[in-house]
Amino acid sequence: MTEESSVLYVVATPIGNLGDMTQRAIAVLHQVPWIAAEDTRHSAPLLKHFGCAARLLAAHEHNEEAAAEQIIARLADGQSVAFVSDAGTPAVSDPGARLVARVRSAGYRVVPLPGACAAVTALSASGLTDAQFLFYGFLPAKPKQREDALREVAGLPYALVFYEAPHRILETVAALADVLGGERTLVMARELTKIFETIHSCPLAEAHDWLSTDGNRQRGEFVLLVAAPPAAADDGEGERVLKLLLAEGLPVKQAAKLAHSITGAAKNAMYELALDLKKS
Ligand code: SAM
């Protein structure tokens, strides 16, 4: 492979198993004089493993603009630079997007090198049959913001894909069950490509108990995938019951929950409708 001059290579790296490094990634990382890394200390062992001797520079979330200028200066000098994040595909819940935008607007070529991505890896083995998915990444950490964020996507006819860290996994699956309803299927894909890789599917209502049964099930990195909601039978029954409950003076949240339990109409749709009815 011949290296071109003045190119930014965006290089995906493994998410746990070094065997997933692509031949093309190894070749490019050998050839470029500079490697920009999200965390140079984190990437150093990977680069050492593959015998890459390029000089390193840091390009992380907090210095992405300044790093972009440094990288553009090197591209202007005819040198090529490779960018790697800590693991997986850069710019997917990782730094890289602003760097790429700056480099492209400065007129330089950006070449992506595909490889591991936790979301796509999890999807491929999830068994979810929905035709479309929505990649969300990390939900907000604060309960209120997380709930609001979930309400926005709850009624969409897509499978939902989230990233989550181990210290928040229990509260996140509880919030998913609460807002999306306990019936939707959840797939928990943990430690993908690593020794303790686990892929477990269950109804959302059972996920918290399953995780709580064994502390080891809460360890490591997670992709959470929720199946799309079943297409609601729109016979108007949910709306009729909801209106009756609101007329009896029940609060929006309780009325929506009851209308959902009584008629099977989607909980989030009932909630949105109740808000609209209250306003009008
Ligand atoms: N850019 C990366 C990618 O392409 O997947 C994602 C980076 S993001 C900062 C890290 C999150 O990705 C983790 O918290 C976890 O949700 C998910 N993740 C990364 N590696 C994983 C793995 N081996 N198994 C399951 N999830 C993983």
Side-chain angles (χ1 to χ4, degrees):
M1 174 189 247
T2 324
E3 188 216 330
E4 295 177 57
S5 60
S6 303
V7 171
L8 173 67
Y9 294 97
V10 182
V11 182
T13 56
I15 55 169
N17 187 327
L18 288 180
D20 294 331
M21 189 77 166
T22 69
Q23 290 185 17
R24 201 169 155 223
I26 297 169
V28 162
L29 293 176
H30 274 129
Q31 286 166 6
V32 290
W34 289 97
I35 297 174
E38 176 184 4
D39 180 342
T40 51
R41 277 176 309 176
H42 181 97
S43 294
L46 174 92
L47 299 172
K48 188 164 174 235
H49 177 88
F50 289 108
C52 308
R55 280 170 290 175
L56 296 181
L57 53 93
H60 46 75
E61 197 189 343
H62 305 292
N63 81 340
E64 214 171 334
E65 300 289 332
E69 295 316 313
Q70 284 186 40
I71 289 167
I72 287 168
R74 285 173 176 97
L75 298 175
D77 197 33
Q79 302 179 64
S80 288
V81 180
F83 174 65
V84 294
S85 58
D86 283 357
T89 301
V92 177
S93 291
D94 258 347
R98 282 181 292 162
L99 167 64
V100 165
R102 281 288 299 118
V103 167
R104 284 166 59 88
S105 69
Y108 294 100
R109 191 160 166 234
V110 175
V111 172
L113 269 68
C117 173
V120 176
T121 306
L123 262 171
S124 71
S126 69
L128 294 183
T129 53
D130 303 304
Q132 284 102 16
F133 71 91
L134 180 139
F135 172 70
Y136 195 96
F138 290 98
L139 282 160
K142 293 194 178 141
K144 171 76 173 78
Q145 277 103 312
R146 182 170 53 216
E147 193 179 316
D148 290 347
L150 282 173
R151 285 200 191 291
E152 275 181 28
V153 296
L156 300 176
Y158 313 125
L160 304 172
V161 183
F162 303 98
Y163 281 165
E164 196 47 280
H167 63 280
R168 271 203 283 272
I169 191 68
L170 281 176
E171 56 184 283
T172 297
V173 296
L176 289 171
D178 193 37
V179 181
L180 307 182
E183 304 86 12
R184 284 168 75 171
T185 298
L186 173 70
V187 181
M188 294 175 268
R190 168 182 163 258
E191 293 289 89
L192 291 166
T193 76
K194 304 185 200 177
I195 295 174
F196 296 110
E197 178 179 272
T198 315
I199 302 173
H200 180 76
S201 314
C202 62
L204 260 171
E206 293 170 17
H208 192 278
D209 281 356
W210 187 82
L211 287 166
S212 305
T213 307
D214 178 351
N216 285 324
R217 292 178 179 171
Q218 300 159 37
R219 293 167 73 158
E221 303 191 89
F222 285 85
V223 182
L224 300 174
L225 308 98
V226 183
D234 186 15
D235 58 1
E237 187 61 2
E239 182 170 348
R240 193 182 70 79
V241 171
L242 184 68
K243 281 180 175 162
L244 285 173
L245 294 169
L246 289 172
E248 286 300 313
L250 262 70
V252 162
K253 208 168 172 179
Q254 200 184 347
K257 201 172 167 185
L258 277 173
H260 157 71
S261 305
I262 295 165
T263 69
K267 196 170 169 185
N268 198 58
M270 289 295 96
Y271 181 76
E272 298 294 334
L273 182 59
L275 287 178
D276 287 348
L277 289 169
K278 272 270 172 195
K279 265 188 234 150
S280 59

